[in-house]
Amino acid sequence: MADVGEVEVGLDSKIEEVKNWLKSEGYDKYKEARRLTEEEAKNDPESEPYKSKYAARDIWIELKEKLETFQSEDEECSEFTKLLLASLNYQLGLNYLETQEPGLGEKCLQQCLASLRKDDNLEVKSASLILHSLNQLGILWSQRGEEEKSLEFFQDGEKFYHRFKKDVGGSPYSIHELFNADENSLSDLDRVKEFEAAFTHTLYYLAQVHGALGDSKKSGTYCHTTLQRQLETKQYDPLDWSLNCATLSQYYITCDNYVMARHCLACSSVVLAEAEEKYTHESVREDDGELERQRKERFPRTRADISRCWAKYCLNLIKEGKEMKEKEMDDRRMERENENDTEENNEGEASTTDRVQEREEEVEEEEDDEENKNPLRFTSLEVTCYEQSVPHHAIKNFNEARTIFREGQKWLNQSKDYYLLDGHVSDFVQIQQDLSQFYKLLAFFEQEKDRKCKMHKRRVDLLSEVLCELNPQHYLQICRQLMFEIAEAYSEMVDLKIAILAETEQQPPTVHAVKKINHLINQAIKFFQTFIDSMKQKGALPETYDDDIVRPALVSHFCIARLFSKFVGLETRAKLENLKKSVDLYNYIVSYCDNHPDMPKESFEDELQISRDMAALLPIKMSKIMASSS
């Protein structure tokens, strides 16, 4: 039996042998593999995009095979080589993922985790490797579309981080440090920074996966925590941070939390300004490769996207005000209808106006308190100038709506510096549609009908200008959207002009007024009909519309039917012809809905009932007209 001292000497020599090998060639080869991966790979030709990474892989494999020869039954030596092998398995796993070999990548990452978590031990040398491996596996499963599986890995990483911080603490080794010579070891501060950065990525991915799974609340919470950690540690890319913060504002808008939505947008603009100070404009050249083009366009694209987020904030703020105003009007109408109720019942009730005003004051007080006390604010950023540019409460009148309108218009026009029609068709059209919606919402708050008409005319001009530039064969869905919205705008103008005519005491109406109204009706019919014709196949409408188009298709028929009955100053014959066209369209709607009983009722229920009524009443009206004219 060997002497204990001899055994200890033998074990020490085994560990020393591994360390000597690392010093003589292991460290240098590992360093070369990193250089190939992180530097040379950027210059690989398009014909061999993974040339350097394949070369790095060969080195990782060579190192792994050599290490396996040092495997020993000794626990201390085995633990040492196990850590080194786990580090190589992680690098190999990452290499396979980056070269589009996910199956092998997953296998290596799982091997790394299995060896490090075999005894459920927590220690500073393996903590970063474990967290990074869990992150990579989570990303892998997310890319496969398996969000639930992906979530498990990220949640595992989150639990591991908190457990390590609670039970061990300290400064975990970096993922490369095991293959660094002692003189190249990182400081405790640098180790902590890398570990915390890895966990920040875990939180970022948790935000993305929860969002993909439809849990916007958890997604927003994790996104905010990620941004806060990045600010605190100063480990962030200003463009990425500002865009992510602007995107977070859109989540708060869906929660009607305009205080935090505005705050996130303001913070986004402040950090973007930080990036702008270092930005140097470089024109995109025709011979630029895709990566070079993306690099040059990164700042202007980010600025445009943040501008659009600001515009969405303004748009939603006016929409919120419109909805509140409509609710107030409905309440007042109901109050008038119930004004004959007993005085006894009314004594204890405040008027609708009082109730609305009280509620508005309560909401403003709540929002002010939230603004002052909200713990989620990024307090390290000075954002007052941006926050003061727009309010955070729902719009109540035209002056407030006009202020928001001008801000939203400014942001959208700024976004068009990057999103031009040439090269960004879908984005440019969406921007024009948002501008159209701003005019539509502003018109709601405007009292003068003539001014309302001008706002809807501006909508027509904005959208028609784009429609004329597009080929329906290539952009059919976009063209349909534009046709329908232009037709709606013309219809709004028709109703306004008829209302103006009804308010005037001049009888009969002037030739100009009649001509104007009938022209607008013809334009509305034209664009609704163009929309309908775009759905024809071999000259005929489909027997069954697709689910996403059935309502717009039927609404177009319904609107044309109504428009035919609105022509002004027509002779009896023309009037009867138009009423006949209306009846035919109403009958078409009724017939389609009766022949498609499986169509969701709520998709067209109100219009269908009106169509049934009008299909029955208009023939009676036509008979009376014919009788009176004979």
Side-chain angles (χ1 to χ4, degrees):
M1 184 174 179
D3 183 76
V4 174
E6 293 177 358
V7 173
E8 289 178 351
V9 170
L11 296 178
D12 289 341
S13 63
K14 195 70 175 177
I15 295 175
E16 201 60 37
E17 186 181 353
V18 176
K19 291 182 176 180
N20 288 334
W21 168 77
L22 287 171
K23 292 175 183 177
S24 63
E25 57 177 305
Y27 291 147
D28 289 338
K29 287 186 175 180
Y30 186 93
K31 184 178 180 180
E32 173 61 12
R34 282 191 66 188
R35 189 189 68 81
L36 288 167
T37 300
E38 298 169 10
E39 298 175 21
E40 284 299 314
K42 296 176 183 178
N43 303 315
D44 284 347
E46 291 186 9
S47 57
E48 296 180 277
Y50 302 131
K51 178 182 177 181
S52 297
K53 290 186 178 179
Y54 288 150
R57 181 192 300 175
D58 290 339
I59 296 175
W60 303 131
I61 292 174
E62 179 189 344
L63 291 173
K64 183 179 175 182
E65 290 174 347
K66 180 65 177 179
L67 267 175
E68 287 171 346
T69 65
F70 292 116
Q71 288 281 45
S72 168
E73 293 181 3
D74 169 56
E75 185 175 342
E76 185 178 353
C77 182
S78 178
E79 284 297 313
F80 182 50
T81 55
K82 180 181 74 174
L83 282 169
L84 295 171
L85 285 168
S87 178
L88 292 174
N89 273 325
Y90 173 78
Q91 295 301 332
L92 277 169
L94 205 56
N95 181 281
Y96 283 121
L97 293 181
E98 291 171 348
T99 55
Q100 307 300 313
E101 298 172 77
L104 292 171
E106 179 187 5
K107 181 180 178 181
C108 289
L109 291 171
Q110 290 287 14
Q111 287 176 346
C112 172
L113 283 176
S115 62
L116 295 178
R117 305 182 83 179
K118 186 175 181 181
D119 300 319
D120 200 29
N121 289 329
L122 295 172
E123 62 168 288
V124 294
K125 290 183 179 179
S126 61
S128 281
L129 278 172
I130 291 172
L131 189 56
H132 277 85
S133 295
L134 290 170
N135 282 348
Q136 291 300 330
L137 286 167
I139 294 169
L140 173 60
W141 281 100
S142 180
Q143 291 172 342
R144 288 171 171 170
E146 298 282 348
E147 303 297 346
E148 293 283 0
K149 183 73 173 177
S150 171
L151 181 61
E152 291 177 11
F153 284 104
F154 292 130
Q155 288 178 330
D156 191 1
E158 183 181 24
K159 292 175 184 175
F160 172 80
Y161 169 85
H162 288 301
R163 185 179 161 212
F164 177 85
K165 296 288 284 186
K166 179 183 176 182
D167 296 346
V168 180
S171 50
Y173 276 38
S174 81
I175 56 174
H176 299 296
E177 201 166 353
L178 291 169
F179 278 90
N180 281 351
D182 291 341
E183 61 270 19
N184 295 325
S185 295
L186 299 180
S187 67
D188 287 346
L189 180 60
D190 288 334
R191 287 175 177 175
V192 170
K193 281 183 178 179
E194 183 180 301
F195 188 60
E196 294 298 330
F199 181 60
T200 300
H201 286 138
T202 305
L203 297 173
Y204 172 79
Y205 299 132
L206 279 166
Q208 304 305 307
V209 174
H210 278 300
L213 290 171
D215 193 336
S216 57
K217 184 175 181 180
K218 283 186 178 179
S219 177
T221 301
Y222 277 111
C223 183
H224 194 286
T225 305
T226 301
L227 294 170
Q228 186 68 62
R229 284 174 59 88
Q230 289 174 330
L231 273 184
E232 290 171 353
T233 59
K234 301 188 183 304
Q235 293 180 319
Y236 62 91
D237 176 277
L239 290 181
D240 285 343
W241 195 97
S242 58
L243 184 57
N244 287 332
C245 197
T247 304
L248 179 60
S249 75
Q250 306 304 289
Y251 159 70
Y252 285 121
I253 288 173
T254 65
C255 302
D256 295 330
N257 188 345
Y258 288 97
V259 173
M260 278 306 301
R262 184 183 64 173
H263 179 69
C264 287
L265 286 167
C267 293
S268 173
S269 292
V270 167
V271 174
L272 181 69
E274 171 191 328
E276 191 168 11
E277 292 176 0
K278 303 172 184 176
Y279 169 68
T280 302
H281 174 72
E282 296 179 80
S283 298
V284 176
R285 298 161 53 95
E286 289 187 8
D287 58 348
D288 282 340
E290 184 61 26
L291 291 177
E292 182 66 9
R293 178 183 292 271
Q294 289 177 3
R295 184 188 67 78
K296 289 180 177 180
E297 291 183 344
R298 188 168 175 238
F299 178 82
R301 183 177 63 251
T302 301
R303 180 171 56 188
D305 288 338
I306 292 171
S307 296
R308 292 178 72 181
C309 287
W310 269 110
K312 288 293 185 184
Y313 172 87
C314 296
L315 195 60
N316 279 278
L317 203 60
I318 303 182
K319 281 182 183 177
E320 182 86 2
K322 175 178 178 287
E323 290 169 3
M324 285 183 64
K325 195 77 173 176
E326 288 173 334
K327 177 69 165 58
E328 179 184 341
M329 291 162 64
D330 288 342
D331 289 345
R332 284 176 176 166
R333 184 167 54 251
M334 291 178 63
E335 192 174 74
R336 286 195 298 270
E337 290 172 357
N338 297 329
E339 63 184 4
N340 293 327
D341 287 351
T342 62
E343 186 177 335
E344 211 174 275
N345 288 336
N346 287 330
E347 278 180 0
E349 297 179 4
S351 70
T352 298
T353 304
D354 292 339
R355 289 198 302 272
V356 170
Q357 187 174 351
E358 287 173 9
R359 180 55 189 151
E360 286 176 352
E361 291 173 355
E362 288 174 7
V363 169
E364 287 187 24
E365 287 176 7
E366 290 170 5
E367 289 174 337
D368 289 339
D369 288 342
E370 188 175 358
E371 184 173 16
N372 294 329
K373 301 176 183 178
N374 200 319
L376 296 177
R377 291 174 66 84
F378 300 107
T379 54
S380 61
L381 298 175
E382 174 49 53
V383 296
T384 306
C385 64
Y386 286 101
E387 290 188 330
Q388 289 180 344
S389 65
V390 290
H392 60 259
H393 56 76
I395 304 307
K396 306 185 194 69
N397 54 53
F398 176 77
N399 287 335
E400 290 184 353
R402 182 171 54 188
T403 299
I404 295 294
F405 166 83
R406 287 172 176 169
E407 278 295 310
Q409 187 182 47
K410 177 193 76 176
W411 289 112
L412 287 176
N413 287 333
Q414 188 178 105
S415 69
K416 286 194 287 186
D417 290 343
Y418 174 76
Y419 287 115
L420 304 173
L421 180 60
D422 183 16
H424 301 282
V425 173
S426 296
D427 292 289
F428 183 85
V429 170
Q430 288 172 12
I431 292 168
Q432 294 296 91
Q433 288 176 312
D434 283 344
L435 281 168
S436 170
Q437 288 301 303
F438 269 115
Y439 278 105
K440 182 179 181 180
L441 291 166
L442 185 63
F444 173 83
F445 288 94
E446 173 58 66
Q447 299 299 312
E448 296 292 330
K449 292 184 176 63
D450 278 330
R451 286 171 58 82
K452 284 177 180 278
C453 277
K454 290 177 181 177
M455 292 173 189
H456 288 297
K457 179 62 168 64
R458 186 71 184 110
R459 295 175 60 205
V460 169
D461 293 342
L462 280 168
L463 301 175
S464 298
E465 180 184 331
V466 183
L467 183 59
C468 291
E469 297 292 328
L470 300 180
N471 185 336
Q473 289 184 332
H474 298 139
Y475 300 103
L476 180 58
Q477 295 302 323
I478 291 176
C479 287
R480 282 177 177 171
Q481 291 174 18
L482 295 173
M483 294 167 191
F484 192 88
E485 191 169 347
I486 292 169
E488 279 189 321
Y490 272 122
S491 295
E492 294 272 7
M493 294 168 70
V494 168
D495 292 338
L496 287 167
K497 288 295 184 182
I498 290 175
I500 292 171
L501 190 63
E503 291 173 355
T504 60
E505 297 179 358
Q506 185 177 359
Q507 296 291 340
T510 65
V511 174
H512 174 75
V514 170
K515 187 176 180 180
K516 182 66 176 178
I517 291 171
N518 290 345
H519 169 73
L520 293 173
I521 292 172
N522 279 319
Q523 288 297 103
I525 291 174
K526 169 190 168 183
F527 280 97
F528 276 129
Q529 190 60 53
T530 306
F531 173 81
I532 292 170
D533 290 343
S534 73
M535 289 175 278
K536 288 184 176 179
Q537 300 168 1
K538 296 182 179 180
L541 290 172
E543 291 185 8
T544 303
Y545 296 109
D546 293 336
D547 291 342
D548 62 336
I549 204 71
V550 60
R551 176 170 170 77
L554 294 179
V555 166
S556 296
H557 283 87
F558 180 80
C559 289
I560 295 176
R562 291 180 68 246
L563 287 162
F564 271 123
S565 66
K566 292 185 178 184
F567 280 100
V568 179
L570 298 181
E571 295 179 355
T572 301
R573 182 178 175 182
K575 187 181 293 184
L576 289 170
E577 287 177 355
N578 284 337
L579 289 175
K580 176 65 169 60
K581 291 175 182 176
S582 293
V583 171
D584 291 343
L585 287 162
Y586 286 129
N587 281 327
Y588 171 82
I589 293 168
V590 172
S591 175
Y592 182 91
C593 293
D594 288 346
N595 291 328
H596 295 82
D598 55 337
M599 190 177 77
K601 284 187 177 181
E602 63 275 7
S603 67
F604 202 67
E605 189 171 11
D606 294 339
E607 293 91 342
L608 176 58
Q609 187 56 52
I610 294 172
S611 297
R612 291 189 191 280
D613 294 342
M614 297 305 291
L617 293 173
L618 284 183
I620 299 173
K621 181 178 180 179
M622 291 169 66
S623 297
K624 288 181 179 180
I625 293 173
M626 286 188 288
S628 64
S629 64
S630 59

